[in-house]
Amino acid sequence: DLIGGDNACHSVASFDDVIHDLEQMSLHPHVYLHDPENGFYASKIQFGQQFYGRSKELAKILEITTVPNENRISLETIFISGMAGSGKSHLVSAVGSFVSSFGFMVQTAKFKRGMEYESREIVSNLIDNMLSNIVEMENGDNESDAKYCRRVAQAISNEFDADSLSALVDFVPSIQTLIPEATKKENLGCTHWQLVFLLSKLFYSVLSQERKIFLALDDLQWMDTTTLGLIREVLISISQYPDERKRLVFVGMYRDDEASPDLMSFAKNLGNIKGSGRANVTDMKLSTLSIVDVSEMIMSELRLPRRLVSELAGVVHKRTQGHAIFVVQLLNSLVSDSTISYSPMLHRFHWDQDKVGALKTADSVADLIVSTLTLLPAGELQCLRVISCFGIKVQSSLLDLLEDLEIAPQEGFESYLPVLLDRGILEIASPMVAFTHDLIQEQVYKGIPEKDRQRLHFDIGIFLGSKTSLDVSCQNKPLGAAIDQLDVSDVSDDDGNFMDVPLLLSFATSQINSARPDFFSDRTQATRFASWNLSTGKAAAKHSSFEVALYYYKNGI
């Protein structure tokens, strides 16, 4: 009686629909069979929080990463390409979460558009975080972890002499915590090839202790050439160690339409050693989501069978061409404007199919994001605009410092964060507040009128600079002596959240540079900010961050 019935909600078109419904109930009873938890229908659905599609790619990566060590012979490198918003980061995040439960240490980093000069610092922080996580094992409850920490410390001590450890401290400061006798020596920098040698030995020492590492670098198209070469040479060096290389999985993600010849040669160089058996290179290009993927996303989030969502999925797929982030943004916009809403009469989520079919959608992801942002209340939009001035993410303690500025939204940042999290625009990965995708950050930032954008950068820079002694250190002193007079005491917000001053120096000066010299034509101010750049550049050079130092020196000039 159900097949071909008049009631669309309770009828099915064929036995295939019946079979599919029963399969979904069997495979996912918590979604399609059991009653939802309290509040499910009262809350707004947020698409994009779960992982959908990419089943073939996911299976392939898991096949590579979960091979037992005794059956693995090579260093595994995986390159994942695709257009912006195709789901590269989401895919690797899902893999990382899975393999971490299988004993992998998962380390990830993301490079930034227009900030290639920070590439070396990003890699430094990545490796430093890896060692910091190992150090934390010493004080944990797991005795196996504590023993592993001690073995790693011993292995590093055995591989490095005192001078080598001192040279490495500049790049990986947490070495000092792991090995207290490792002390930094002034003016003991190292060349590119010396750093390759030191990092190769460091990874060898860590990998020799039989735990596996999953290393993922996102947005490789924005990594500078020197750092790209550093990573390439370290990977090639690691591939020479038969036992250690099989404990490392390296994943690189990039936008194929922005990939440079240097990035392409990076993958090619690793491919050249594939024939020797030392490294295995897997290339993946993410295509668009299929209509089946879109259907599964809607089915799972709305807890409805395929037969009820197929028309909606068809319209969404046609309008977005299966572009992953476009799909998510469009579905969320349908929820926000109540096109998709809960029907008390039907006891499920419902939509007007004719209204959905008549939708006039944006021509691109960017246009859709812009149209969504224009609907935001002024306070929420201002909050996003300030955050976008720092790039894709910012430390929450930095936002706390900015609370008293006029550019802060009237109710403060804290009051707007929950709703922006609910909208799927921001996410919190403590201690950072981040945009859920760099495409959203780009459109927020581009949407600020140029003069307003310059004023935001200028006001932020001046305020952060006031939290240091940048101006005091540069007044009535030779510029060469300025850096030695900088106040490097710790700064904290009203709640006591820590913010180190060297980082504030960098943020303050970078914000002034982003405002650009044409915003402050006064010669006195230009001289003042040239001194800021000199001081911040010298601070970076003291830590052997020469690319960063060069960026500040050039801006000062």
Side-chain angles (χ1 to χ4, degrees):
D1 290 339
L2 289 177
I3 297 177
D6 294 332
N7 190 328
C9 293
H10 300 291
S11 66
V12 292
S14 67
F15 279 113
D16 285 341
D17 282 346
V18 175
I19 293 170
H20 189 270
D21 282 5
L22 292 173
E23 286 177 343
Q24 294 304 307
M25 291 178 193
S26 175
L27 293 172
H28 310 288
H30 63 290
V31 175
Y32 299 106
L33 190 57
H34 299 162
D35 287 336
E37 62 276 4
N38 293 333
F40 171 73
Y41 291 118
S43 60
K44 274 199 171 183
I45 296 297
Q46 184 66 56
F47 289 92
Q49 304 300 302
Q50 305 297 322
F51 182 75
Y52 298 100
R54 312 299 184 205
S55 55
K56 291 181 180 178
E57 293 88 350
L58 182 60
K60 180 63 177 177
I61 298 176
L62 291 179
E63 178 188 347
I64 292 170
T65 54
T66 56
V67 172
N69 276 350
E70 57 268 23
N71 298 332
R72 190 194 300 275
I73 61 172
S74 304
L75 161 68
E76 291 289 349
T77 60
I78 305 169
F79 290 95
I80 304 174
S81 62
M83 68 180 76
S86 59
K88 303 180 293 295
S89 304
H90 211 166
L91 171 62
V92 174
S93 177
V95 174
S97 297
F98 182 82
V99 300
S100 64
S101 64
F102 281 81
F104 274 88
M105 290 192 296
V106 177
Q107 299 295 322
T108 62
K110 186 179 180 71
F111 297 93
K112 307 172 187 176
R113 178 194 292 274
M115 302 179 78
E116 288 80 3
Y117 63 90
E118 287 191 351
S119 298
R120 189 177 184 275
E121 287 295 291
I122 291 171
V123 172
S124 170
N125 291 335
L126 172 77
I127 300 173
D128 195 56
N129 287 338
M130 179 183 73
L131 284 192
S132 294
N133 291 338
I134 293 174
V135 169
E136 289 176 5
M137 295 179 184
E138 175 72 32
N139 302 317
D141 298 329
N142 190 313
E143 181 59 25
S144 175
D145 285 347
K147 288 180 178 178
Y148 171 72
C149 174
R150 291 191 287 269
R151 291 201 311 271
V152 169
Q154 187 60 54
I156 294 174
S157 296
N158 292 342
E159 281 294 320
F160 290 85
D161 59 27
D163 285 343
S164 295
L165 278 175
S166 295
L168 195 57
V169 166
D170 257 342
F171 197 78
V172 190
S174 57
I175 281 280
Q176 290 178 295
T177 309
L178 187 64
I179 305 173
E181 57 267 28
T183 56
K184 180 181 176 181
K185 295 181 180 178
E186 294 297 324
N187 303 318
L188 190 64
C190 56
T191 66
H192 172 82
W193 289 107
Q194 286 173 329
L195 187 56
V196 168
F197 176 72
L198 293 174
L199 292 180
S200 300
K201 290 182 68 176
L202 177 63
F203 271 99
Y204 166 79
S205 301
V206 176
L207 291 166
S208 69
Q209 299 310 303
E210 300 183 358
R211 290 201 181 182
K212 296 173 284 190
I213 298 175
F214 183 85
L215 199 64
L217 299 182
D218 199 357
D219 284 327
L220 291 180
Q221 75 277 357
W222 296 329
M223 189 196 298
D224 75 353
T225 303
T226 303
T227 309
L228 200 60
L230 175 67
I231 296 296
R232 180 191 62 228
E233 296 302 331
V234 169
L235 289 174
I236 290 174
S237 180
I238 293 171
S239 74
Q240 299 178 56
Y241 301 110
D243 292 325
E244 287 70 25
R245 69 190 180 206
K246 62 187 182 182
R247 300 187 188 111
L248 177 63
V249 176
F250 171 82
V251 181
M253 295 157 275
Y254 64 93
R255 298 182 183 181
D256 48 8
D257 58 342
E258 297 185 43
S260 66
D262 289 325
L263 177 54
M264 292 296 93
S265 65
F266 172 71
K268 184 178 179 181
N269 290 150
L270 292 174
N272 289 340
I273 61 174
K274 182 176 180 179
S276 66
R278 290 161 44 194
N280 187 44
V281 180
T282 302
D283 288 302
M284 290 184 180
K285 180 177 173 61
L286 296 191
S287 58
T288 55
L289 294 175
S290 69
I291 191 170
V292 173
D293 296 331
V294 176
S295 294
E296 288 182 352
M297 180 187 298
I298 299 173
M299 287 164 55
S300 182
E301 294 297 338
L302 301 186
R303 301 194 174 191
L304 294 172
R306 181 179 61 184
R307 55 191 167 82
L308 294 183
V309 306
S310 58
E311 288 188 57
L312 173 61
V315 172
V316 170
H317 187 264
K318 182 178 180 180
R319 291 287 191 274
T320 62
Q321 299 298 307
H323 190 157
I325 194 174
F326 206 169
V327 170
V328 169
Q329 291 291 316
L330 178 55
L331 285 170
N332 281 332
S333 71
L334 295 179
V335 172
S336 295
D337 66 14
S338 297
T339 299
I340 297 175
S341 60
Y342 177 68
S343 168
M345 184 177 296
L346 297 175
H347 303 292
R348 66 172 179 85
F349 282 98
H350 178 67
W351 53 93
D352 184 332
Q353 190 62 42
D354 291 335
K355 183 178 179 181
V356 171
L359 276 176
K360 292 183 179 179
T361 56
D363 294 328
S364 67
V365 184
D367 291 341
L368 178 59
I369 293 171
V370 169
S371 66
T372 302
L373 293 173
T374 57
L375 300 176
L376 293 178
E380 293 179 29
L381 188 57
Q382 182 64 11
C383 180
L384 293 176
R385 284 179 167 180
V386 173
I387 294 173
S388 75
C389 288
F390 292 93
I392 193 171
K393 60 184 178 181
V394 63
Q395 288 178 295
S396 56
S397 54
L398 198 55
L399 291 180
D400 292 337
L401 280 177
L402 299 176
E403 285 283 1
D404 296 330
L405 267 181
E406 286 187 10
I407 61 170
Q410 189 171 4
E411 302 299 325
F413 294 100
E414 193 68 32
S415 62
Y416 292 107
L417 290 182
V419 67
L420 292 170
L421 293 173
D422 288 341
R423 292 182 187 277
I425 297 174
L426 296 179
E427 60 186 3
I428 292 180
S430 185
M432 311 300 290
V433 176
F435 286 91
T436 52
H437 199 281
D438 48 22
L439 281 176
I440 299 176
Q441 183 272 333
E442 288 172 20
Q443 296 310 313
V444 171
Y445 188 72
K446 288 178 181 178
I448 308 173
E450 184 176 2
K451 287 297 181 184
D452 292 345
R453 188 163 61 229
Q454 288 179 294
R455 169 57 64 182
L456 277 175
H457 282 302
F458 185 80
D459 289 347
I460 293 170
I462 291 295
F463 178 77
L464 294 181
S466 72
K467 295 294 184 179
T468 73
S469 57
L470 270 169
D471 283 328
V472 175
S473 68
C474 297
Q475 289 174 357
N476 303 318
K477 294 183 178 71
L479 290 180
I483 187 62
D484 298 323
Q485 302 299 318
L486 282 174
D487 176 12
V488 291
S489 58
D490 297 338
V491 172
S492 61
D493 59 25
D494 293 338
D495 296 324
N497 296 314
F498 174 79
M499 171 66 67
D500 65 86
V501 169
L503 199 57
L504 275 181
L505 299 179
S506 173
F507 281 140
T509 311
S510 293
Q511 290 294 320
I512 293 298
N513 292 338
S514 295
R516 301 199 309 272
D518 61 295
F519 187 75
F520 41 87
S521 55
D522 182 84
R523 183 173 178 80
T524 302
Q525 283 192 323
T527 303
R528 172 192 186 190
F529 298 135
S531 298
W532 283 28
N533 275 283
L534 175 64
S535 297
T536 310
K538 284 192 172 185
K542 273 193 168 184
H543 291 86
S544 299
S545 299
F546 300 117
E547 290 86 355
V548 177
L550 181 60
Y551 161 79
Y552 289 114
Y553 291 156
K554 284 183 175 180
N555 275 278
I557 293 171

